[in-house]
Amino acid sequence: MSQNATNSDNQEIDLSMISNKIKGFYDGIGTSVFRGILFFKRNLLIVGILFIVGAALGTYFDLNYETYDSKIIVRPNFGSTDYLYSKIDLLDSKIKTRDTLFLKSIGVKNPENLTKIEIEPIVDIYSLVNYNEKNAAVTTNTQNFELLKLLAEEGDINKVIKDKATSKNYYSHTVHLITKGFTTDEKTIEPILNYLNNNTYFDNLKKIYVENVNVNIKKNEEMILQINTLLEKFSTASGQKSDKLVFYNENTELNEVLKTKQALVYEIGIKREQLVNYENTIKKNSSILNIKNTESVNGKLKLVLPLLLIFGFVLIRLFSKFYKRQALKAQQNIA
């Protein structure tokens, strides 16, 4: 009986101690909140001044130091992707080191307002898999897809798709620019594109590529003329006088001729599209300028600065109180 009574008393003591600790914890929180209220009440004037000053400074910085994003979608031609990425890295290093003389030398106006430049691929795995630039009129190209599957056998294909080595094979890429204040094509975009396209080696390649495309177009047009002549002869021989020819599936050879003509017409369209893309080594497809940058604290300084000033004031007062308390203890120990 005495042992059971002792265990019961111990449990009651433990529960009482836990209850007192919980009560003391909540009392401590309440005391801290009350002290905080008293602190701000005693320093209401200082806190109000800091808030007004911070809001005024934040508003000034938000209005006068706004940053904007601009995006240029480009297509590197003639195997110039690595060249493009290295040039963008060079430009970014010049911007970070504030080499305004170099930026002015390539034609950038107000280079001090240019704060960052970077490039990233536009992930389009379907175009990479399906499109074969050298033989666009032929059926879907599966070589790139098989290569991707091979690379992803021991890993996640999503990682392979976004891997740097894979991403450089995509056809379109986005160049990001960050500027202080507004920019224009004339001030920033055109000088940078001219700088990227200023390369003798790729200029020579461009001439060869364009000449080859024009030769292919001419040959295809000649073959289409030959096919048209052949069809006219067949029409005459068949005694068909109608303007519209109707051919039956039984004549498989003639069906193949018609399919060949259709493929040649399609290929000519692709080649003409290539000529448009081959206007420059780094072909600009489109651009979007002056998107207001709201990342991080951009545009929010009117709210952030007041809070930082008040937080700094609280820290200084707490440190001052802590220092005085420790100094008093030190004096008492010496005494």
Side-chain angles (χ1 to χ4, degrees):
M1 292 291 293
S2 59
Q3 185 175 359
N4 291 336
T6 301
N7 291 335
S8 177
D9 291 340
N10 290 336
Q11 290 178 357
E12 290 178 359
I13 292 172
D14 291 340
L15 291 174
S16 177
M17 290 177 62
I18 294 172
S19 177
N20 289 333
K21 287 182 179 180
I22 294 174
K23 183 179 179 181
F25 173 74
Y26 283 109
D27 287 343
I29 292 177
T31 302
S32 299
V33 172
F34 180 71
R35 287 177 178 175
I37 294 172
L38 288 179
F39 172 82
F40 282 103
K41 185 177 179 180
R42 287 194 301 266
N43 299 279
L44 183 61
L45 179 62
I46 297 175
V47 171
I49 292 173
L50 290 174
F51 184 85
I52 294 172
V53 170
L57 288 174
T59 302
Y60 172 79
F61 287 125
D62 284 340
L63 294 176
N64 292 278
Y65 295 93
E66 291 180 330
T67 59
Y68 293 87
D69 291 338
S70 297
K71 299 180 179 180
I72 317 166
I73 297 176
V74 298
R75 174 175 176 143
N77 295 309
F78 325 127
S80 61
T81 306
D82 288 327
Y83 161 81
L84 171 62
Y85 273 72
S86 64
K87 284 292 187 180
I88 294 297
D89 289 340
L90 175 62
L91 283 174
D92 191 47
S93 68
K94 296 294 184 182
I95 293 169
K96 289 178 179 178
T97 57
R98 309 313 303 161
D99 191 350
T100 55
L101 291 177
F102 173 82
L103 296 173
K104 285 182 179 179
S105 70
I106 65 174
V108 176
K109 306 294 189 302
N110 303 323
E112 63 278 358
N113 292 337
L114 187 57
T115 61
K116 189 176 183 180
I117 185 171
E118 59 184 4
I119 185 171
E120 65 178 6
I122 297 177
V123 177
D124 189 0
I125 190 64
Y126 299 103
S127 295
L128 179 63
V129 169
N130 294 331
Y131 186 70
N132 184 352
E133 185 175 3
K134 294 181 180 179
N135 200 7
V138 185
T139 55
T140 301
N141 178 25
T142 59
Q143 294 178 355
N144 290 334
F145 181 66
E146 294 298 327
L147 178 60
L148 286 175
K149 288 201 301 183
L150 180 64
L151 292 173
E153 281 182 356
E154 297 182 359
D156 186 0
I157 192 169
N158 291 320
K159 292 182 180 179
V160 175
I161 289 172
K162 297 178 181 179
D163 183 73
K164 189 174 182 180
T166 306
S167 63
K168 288 186 178 182
N169 291 289
Y170 296 122
Y171 298 106
S172 297
H173 304 258
T174 302
V175 178
H176 294 268
L177 293 170
I178 299 179
T179 57
K180 296 177 183 177
F182 286 97
T183 191
T184 62
D185 279 328
E186 294 76 14
K187 289 182 179 179
T188 309
I189 308 303
E190 290 181 3
I192 289 177
L193 287 174
N194 291 335
Y195 167 72
L196 294 175
N197 283 299
N198 185 18
N199 186 282
T200 304
Y201 170 75
F202 286 110
D203 286 342
N204 293 330
L205 275 183
K206 171 188 169 183
K207 294 177 183 177
I208 296 173
Y209 270 75
V210 171
E211 183 180 353
N212 288 340
V213 172
N214 284 324
V215 169
N216 287 331
I217 291 175
K218 186 176 180 180
K219 287 183 176 180
N220 286 352
E221 289 175 344
E222 291 174 353
M223 292 179 66
I224 291 174
L225 287 175
Q226 293 175 0
I227 291 173
N228 289 338
T229 302
L230 178 64
L231 292 176
E232 288 177 3
K233 291 180 179 179
F234 180 84
S235 174
T236 303
S238 301
Q240 295 184 8
K241 305 300 182 181
S242 175
D243 292 336
K244 295 182 180 179
L245 300 178
V246 179
F247 300 105
Y248 299 97
N249 291 331
E250 289 81 355
N251 195 333
T252 57
E253 292 183 359
L254 193 57
N255 287 336
E256 290 300 320
V257 171
L258 292 173
K259 289 180 181 179
T260 301
K261 178 182 177 180
Q262 183 180 14
L264 291 172
V265 172
Y266 178 77
E267 188 173 351
I268 287 176
I270 295 296
K271 296 297 182 184
R272 295 191 186 280
E273 180 184 336
Q274 288 177 1
L275 286 177
V276 174
N277 290 326
Y278 289 169
E279 289 178 355
N280 300 104
T281 301
I282 308 300
K283 169 67 175 175
K284 171 189 169 185
N285 291 344
S286 63
S287 62
I288 303 174
L289 304 183
N290 302 316
I291 305 170
K292 190 172 182 180
N293 190 326
T294 57
E295 295 180 0
S296 185
V297 296
N298 292 322
K300 307 179 186 72
L301 289 176
K302 63 178 68 69
L303 299 176
V304 174
L305 275 182
L307 295 177
L308 284 178
L309 291 176
I310 293 172
F311 181 70
F313 171 70
V314 172
L315 284 181
I316 292 172
R317 292 301 298 266
L318 289 175
F319 178 78
S320 176
K321 187 175 181 181
F322 170 78
Y323 180 81
K324 290 178 180 179
R325 188 186 303 116
Q326 296 300 320
L328 181 60
K329 288 181 179 180
Q331 291 179 358
Q332 291 176 351
N333 291 333
I334 294 173

